[in-house]
Amino acid sequence: MTYDHIMVRFGELSTKGKNKKDFIRVLANNIKNALRDFSNVSIETRFDHIYVVLNGNDPDPIIEILQDVSGIHSLSLVYKTDPDIENLKKVSLELIQKEAGQTFKVKAKRADKTYPIISEDIIRHVAGVILANTNLKVDVHNPDILLSIEIRQEGAYVFCKTYPAAGGYPLGVGGKIMHMLSGGIDSPVAAYLLMRRGIKIECIHFASPPYTNVGVIEKLKDILSKLNKYQPEIRLNIIPFTKIQEEIYRNADESYAITIMRRMMFRLADRLAHRRRCPAISSGESVGQVASQTLESMYTINEVTSLPVLRPVVAMDKVDIIKLARKIDTYDISIRPFEDCCTIFAPKSPKTKPSLEKAKEFEEKFDYETLINEALDNAEVIYVKKEDELF
Ligand code: ATP
Ligand code: MG
């Protein structure tokens, strides 16, 4: 007798009514995608659980993958069986004898109310047979083994092991966002936090060759292949930014270069978000880190877009951002040396309180609209997919 299903649980709170149906449909699909290397596992969708039918597969690698799927709160390795009480006694005894420990507790849940025996009596019967046939003792407060029985319409599930999972919402239920991805530490972490909330990302990157080298693109691909763990396919739009930057430096006061550069970035992100049907933009900005990230700067920069701009790491400490970057395995890639368009053109004394009027004044000196359209039309698109991982 071996465990034959994995029971997938999702949070109760956010899953009501029609939303719940969408939530389950999207999650089931994401699970199918995450497990597509396991050819013969199948997925069963029920009202408040999803089951992965193992069909003889080793459960360990499957559980490991599922623990990272957004929207799953916990998992149990279960044995599906006939709910007849004599059978439940036999199965429970056999399963608990494979577990290590000295004490146990039995838990029963009768989701199918037509089942003739109430939960307390199921527990009594099953605990009785375990006590009579093993050396295990009952401990209701802190048992070494918790044996659970759930009676449902389609059968009974018996299990001893429950695993925590990532929580959050299934990827895709929150729509799609245009995420500004640099090669730094913060923007991949911001992307991860959004994906955890069920939001799919599409990335925009501003490249300034020859000032920035092509290695940056390899770096971005490596970062995205780490993020493929949470979103199996990510579209990366690379925007040629050199001409715009050169024009900025030709026309604007050095102390306003960063402000105007970022206004151009947000304009490009806004236009591309509209083209790609993303109702919002996101970035890895964090308040106070650099001159362009003061509230006054954000005010002046944000003025170019009416889309919501989500900044998931805005109030996080750098050490905590780094911790997350290590957890999602992007940190070592992010710290590889590279030239960012921000660092190349960084002025000695950027304005920390740039005025909106001043910024507009400098911008009027060149035809940035034409340059923006040209840059968008010449964007290079790369899809980074799960298969691209080289390990
Ligand atoms: P990061 O570590 O993410 O690079 P940072 O602390 O270096 O962030 P900035 O360089 O000021 O901060 O950038 C702030 C945010 O602006 C980035 O997190 C990213 O979302 C966006 N950004 C900066 N440079 C680029 C770029 N070349 N392409 C796309 N987005 C960018
Ligand atoms: Mg940066």
Side-chain angles (χ1 to χ4, degrees), residues 51 57 67 261 295 303:
Y51 295 91
N57 277 280
Q67 283 182 303
M261 185 187 79
L295 285 182
E303 191 262 345

Side-chain angles (χ1 to χ4, degrees), residues 179-190 203-208 212 216 220 237 239 241 258 261-262 265-266 282-286 289-293 310 313 318 321 334 338-343:
H179 184 63
M180 296 166 71
L181 185 74
S182 65
I185 297 165
D186 304 338
S187 47
V189 171
C203 294
I204 182 168
H205 177 77
F206 309 100
S208 300
T212 61
V216 175
L220 296 176
N237 303 276
I239 311 290
F241 199 54
I258 290 277
M261 185 187 79
R262 296 195 67 80
M265 285 182 173
F266 274 91
S282 53
S283 82
E285 285 164 293
S286 158
Q289 269 195 20
V290 290
S292 65
Q293 299 181 7
L310 304 194
V313 303
K318 193 77 184 184
I321 298 176
S334 291
F338 84 115
E339 300 290 4
D340 186 40
C341 54
C342 300
T343 46

Side-chain angles (χ1 to χ4, degrees), residues 36-48:
R36 67 182 161 200
D37 290 345
F38 301 84
S39 55
N40 59 338
V41 300
S42 51
I43 315 287
E44 279 177 13
T45 307
R46 308 256 175 211
F47 180 66
D48 49 7

